[in-house]
Amino acid sequence: MVVLAASILTKTGKVLVSRQFVDMPRIRIEGLLAAFPKLVGTGKQHTYVETENVRYVYQPIEALYLILVTNKQSNILEDLDTLRLLAKVVPEYAPSLDEEGTGEMAFEIIFAFDECLSLGNKENLTVAQVRQYCEMESHEEKLHKLVLQSKMNEAKDVMKRKATEIEKSKIEKGKFQTGAYSSISGPRRSESGFGDINISSSGSGFGSGSGFGLNTESIESFSSKSKDRPAASAKAPPKGLGMQLGKKTQKTNQFLESLKAEGEVIIEDVQPSAVQSKSVLPPTDPITVTIEEKLNIIVEKNGGLRNFDLQGTLSLQILNQDDGFIQLQIENRDMPGLSFKTHPNINKDLFNREQIIGLKDPNRPFPTGQNDVGLMKWRVQKMDESSLPLTVNCWPSVSGNETYVNIEYEASDLFDLQNVVISVPLPALRDAPTVNQIDGEWRYDARNSSLEWSILLIDHSNRSGSMEFVVPPADQSAFFPISIKFAASSTYSDVKVAGINSLKGANVPKYSQRVQLMTESYQVV
C-alpha cells in the first residue's frame, strides 16, 4: 500500500520527471507511463485510472499531468492527499508549468518529492517545510563563508598595498638613477616597508652637504680614502656600540608568557611599517563616501533606557581634482528627532530644498587628497527601548556555594550585527569560570577579571541566544556594568548617496560608499 512512482508527463505522453520509490526496472516504469495517455479518457471527471495491476492517480496542471502510480490495494484517499501536496510543491520550484520550466528544475523537483514521500509513504509536511528542508540552510556554512570572504578581502588589500609600495620603490629608484645622491650614514628604518629612500636635492635635506649627504668632492675623497684601507678592516665588526640581536630573547619570552598567563592577548612579530601602511590603504575608486553612525547607549538592568545618543557623519574623499566639481544627492529615512548640520561651505538652501550637498561656490572643487573631508553630521537623542539593535539580560542567582549567571541576548530584525562582544565583569577569581552552555565563543580575561562572549554574526538564524556560567558566591552587582560592542553594515537613518551630479558636464566618475554602524559606548548598568 505504497506509492510506486511519482511522475510528470506532458499531454502527449512525454516523461519529464519520474521518481520511483520501490525497486523497479526502467523498462517497467517506462511501460507503465507509456500506457497512461491511452487510458485517460476525454470529458471524464475522474482523477484515477485502474488496470489489472496498478492504479494511476493523476491531476492536470496546465499543460502537464502529475501522476502517482500505486498498487490497487493503496488507500485512494491517502493517495489523493499526497497528490494535492505534490501539486502544490511543483509550482514552487518550476518557473513555468511547461516542458522547458520543468526540465530546468528537474533535480529540485525530485528532491522535493523525496521530502514528501519516504519509501512510498506520505510524510506529514507542509509546502513551507518542504522548501526549508530542501534549502538546508546552515549557520555554520554562513560563518565559514564570511570568514573565507574576509580572508580574501584581506589578501586583496595586502596585494594592493604591496603593489603601491613596489610602485613607490620604482619611482624612488628612478629618481636615484637620474642623478640624486644617496646617504651613506648607515642603515635606517624605512616607513613604507620596502626600504624606499627619501632623497631631496635641496641644501637642507638628504643629498646636500649639510652633514647627512655628501657633495661630489666628498664622494671622491671618500672613494680615494677607501682604496688605501686594507680589505680586512671592512669586514671587522664594530666594537663597543651597536645593536646586538638575540641578547634579551629569553627575558622577553618570559615576560610574554607571564602576560599570556594573566589572560592578555599577545600579537607577536608585528612590523610597525605594516601596521602603518594598513591604516592608510589606498582607495580603489576615484570618489569614496563614508557614512558612519556611532551609538552611546546606557540601558537599565531592570528595564528602561537611561540614555540614547546617536551621532552620524558623512565624509568624502576625492583623489583627483578634476573629479571635485560634483554634487551629492542624499536620501534618508524619516525619523523623529533627526536633524542635519552641514559644513559652513555647503549650500544650505540647496540642501534643505532638494537634499543635495554642493559647495556655495560651484566653481570651486571639493578638497582632494588622501584624507576624508566631513560634509554633514546628524544626531538623534530620543528613541524607545524597542528600537535598540541588541538587548542583554543578566540573571545571577546564588545556589549553595555557587552563583549561576544566565545571560541572554535578543537582536532586532533591523540589523545584522557583526563581531559582537558582550563583556561581563566578574568578581575576583582564582580560576576561570565554568561555562555550562553558550551560543558562540567565550574568553576569560584574567587581568581585567571579565568574561567575553563573542558572536561572529547575528542574523535571522540566531536573533536570540543565551549563556550560562558558574562562579563562587558573589553579589549581583558584581556582574554589572555589561559592555557591548558590535558593528553593522546598515544605519538607523539609512543615509546614503543616491547619485552624483557632475557640474562640468563630463562623465560622472565612479564612486563607492562605506556604510557602518558601530558602538562607542553601549552598557547595561
Side-chain angles (χ1 to χ4, degrees):
M1 297 179 66
V2 296
V3 176
L4 303 180
S7 308
I8 299 178
L9 278 69
T10 62
K11 292 294 180 67
T12 59
K14 182 179 179 181
V15 181
L16 302 179
V17 175
S18 181
R19 175 64 168 134
Q20 291 71 251
F21 298 98
V22 295
D23 292 334
M24 183 184 303
R26 178 177 178 179
I27 299 177
R28 170 68 173 160
I29 186 62
E30 287 180 349
L32 292 174
L33 296 178
F36 172 74
K38 303 174 184 178
L39 299 173
V40 177
T42 59
K44 295 182 180 181
Q45 298 297 324
H46 299 293
T47 58
Y48 70 94
V49 177
E50 291 185 352
T51 64
E52 293 183 4
N53 300 320
V54 297
R55 176 190 295 144
Y56 299 93
V57 185
Y58 66 93
Q59 177 179 337
I61 46 176
E62 295 187 8
L64 307 175
Y65 277 122
L66 177 62
I67 305 170
L68 294 182
V69 182
T70 67
N71 52 26
K72 296 181 67 174
Q73 293 77 26
S74 178
N75 190 330
I76 185 66
L77 296 178
E78 292 183 359
D79 295 339
L80 290 174
D81 190 22
T82 304
L83 185 67
R84 281 191 292 269
L85 176 61
L86 296 183
K88 295 178 182 178
V89 168
V90 172
E92 288 287 325
Y93 290 93
S96 59
L97 295 177
D98 53 14
E99 181 177 348
E100 182 180 357
T102 307
E104 182 182 351
M105 304 296 291
F107 286 103
E108 285 75 6
I109 294 174
I110 290 176
F111 296 152
F113 282 0
D114 286 343
E115 297 295 337
C116 297
L117 294 166
S118 176
L119 299 176
N121 297 308
K122 177 181 177 295
E123 295 286 346
N124 188 17
L125 297 175
T126 63
V127 177
Q129 289 175 322
V130 172
R131 175 171 284 277
Q132 181 181 0
Y133 295 159
C134 289
E135 286 178 355
M136 290 297 292
E137 186 174 355
S138 172
H139 181 62
E140 287 75 11
E141 182 183 3
K142 277 188 175 182
L143 295 180
H144 173 72
K145 289 182 178 179
L146 282 174
V147 173
L148 187 62
Q149 186 63 35
S150 65
K151 290 182 179 179
M152 293 175 62
N153 294 337
E154 185 177 356
K156 290 180 180 179
D157 293 339
V158 172
M159 179 184 65
K160 293 175 183 177
R161 186 173 70 248
K162 295 296 183 183
T164 304
E165 292 173 349
I166 291 173
E167 192 67 26
K168 288 177 61 179
S169 178
K170 289 181 179 179
I171 294 174
E172 295 296 339
K173 187 180 294 184
K175 291 181 180 179
F176 177 76
Q177 291 176 353
T178 55
Y181 301 118
S182 62
S183 171
I184 58 171
S185 57
R188 58 188 179 85
R189 182 175 171 181
S190 172
E191 292 297 330
S192 65
F194 271 81
D196 52 335
I197 304 173
N198 294 328
I199 303 171
S200 64
S201 59
S202 64
S204 60
F206 290 94
S208 68
S210 60
F212 286 100
L214 299 174
N215 53 22
T216 307
E217 297 178 357
S218 61
I219 292 177
E220 293 176 354
S221 61
F222 177 80
S223 60
S224 62
K225 290 179 181 179
S226 61
K227 292 179 182 179
D228 300 333
R229 293 181 180 179
S233 62
K235 298 181 180 179
K239 296 182 181 180
L241 299 178
M243 182 174 63
Q244 297 181 5
L245 301 177
K247 190 172 183 180
K248 297 184 179 180
T249 304
Q250 186 175 2
K251 293 183 179 179
T252 304
N253 291 338
Q254 292 177 355
F255 178 68
L256 294 178
E257 292 297 331
S258 64
L259 288 180
K260 290 180 181 179
E262 294 180 3
E264 287 294 315
V265 177
I266 305 300
I267 302 176
E268 300 179 359
D269 296 332
V270 177
Q271 298 295 332
S273 60
V275 175
Q276 293 175 1
S277 60
K278 185 175 181 180
S279 62
V280 289
L281 289 177
T284 58
D285 295 314
I287 298 177
T288 302
V289 180
T290 303
I291 300 171
E292 287 186 353
E293 285 186 353
K294 296 183 179 180
L295 294 173
N296 287 274
I297 296 176
I298 299 177
V299 184
E300 300 281 354
K301 61 182 178 181
N302 296 324
L305 187 59
R306 180 186 297 182
N307 179 57
F308 182 95
D309 186 22
L310 181 148
Q311 297 183 11
T313 58
L314 184 148
S315 56
L316 180 67
Q317 183 183 25
I318 302 176
L319 298 182
N320 302 319
Q321 187 173 1
D322 295 338
D323 298 332
F325 297 94
I326 57 172
Q327 291 180 341
L328 309 180
Q329 179 66 56
I330 305 299
E331 291 182 356
N332 67 279
R333 181 191 306 159
D334 291 334
M335 290 180 59
L338 178 62
S339 60
F340 293 97
K341 290 185 179 181
T342 57
H343 192 276
N345 291 333
I346 300 298
N347 190 336
K348 292 181 174 57
D349 294 336
L350 180 63
F351 178 77
N352 295 331
R353 187 175 63 254
E354 303 180 26
Q355 278 199 315
I356 294 179
I357 294 180
L359 293 176
K360 293 180 180 179
D361 185 2
N363 296 320
R364 291 179 53 192
F366 280 102
T368 58
Q370 296 292 335
N371 298 325
D372 292 344
V373 179
L375 302 182
M376 182 178 68
K377 58 184 179 180
W378 58 94
R379 190 171 187 178
V380 178
Q381 290 184 301
K382 292 183 180 180
M383 298 286 284
D384 53 9
E385 192 174 1
S386 61
S387 302
L388 294 178
L390 187 69
T391 58
V392 176
N393 294 319
C394 180
W395 300 86
S397 59
V398 179
S399 177
N401 293 326
E402 294 178 329
T403 299
Y404 289 81
V405 182
N406 290 273
I407 302 178
E408 62 178 1
Y409 73 81
E410 291 185 4
S412 171
D413 296 334
L414 299 176
F415 304 97
D416 289 344
L417 307 181
Q418 304 167 0
N419 301 323
V420 181
V421 178
I422 302 173
S423 180
V424 183
L426 301 176
L429 301 177
R430 180 173 298 178
D431 299 318
T434 303
V435 178
N436 295 335
Q437 181 269 332
I438 187 171
D439 296 328
E441 303 291 335
W442 66 278
R443 187 181 74 89
Y444 173 56
D445 187 353
R447 173 179 284 269
N448 297 319
S449 187
S450 63
L451 181 66
E452 293 184 354
W453 179 12
S454 302
I455 306 101
L456 184 61
L457 174 67
I458 296 180
D459 57 7
H460 65 89
S461 62
N462 59 341
R463 292 296 182 192
S464 61
S466 60
M467 174 180 67
E468 181 185 77
F469 63 90
V470 183
V471 295
D475 188 71
Q476 294 186 0
S477 60
F479 304 100
F480 295 93
I482 299 174
S483 299
I484 306 170
K485 295 180 180 179
F486 59 80
S489 58
S490 57
T491 59
Y492 270 94
S493 61
D494 199 19
V495 173
K496 59 184 177 181
V497 176
I500 291 182
N501 304 323
S502 177
L503 300 179
K504 294 296 184 180
N507 295 330
V508 177
K510 185 180 179 182
Y511 71 96
S512 62
Q513 299 189 61
R514 300 174 182 174
V515 182
Q516 188 176 28
L517 173 70
M518 66 182 69
T519 57
E520 197 168 54
S521 176
Y522 199 126
Q523 291 186 336
V524 180
V525 297

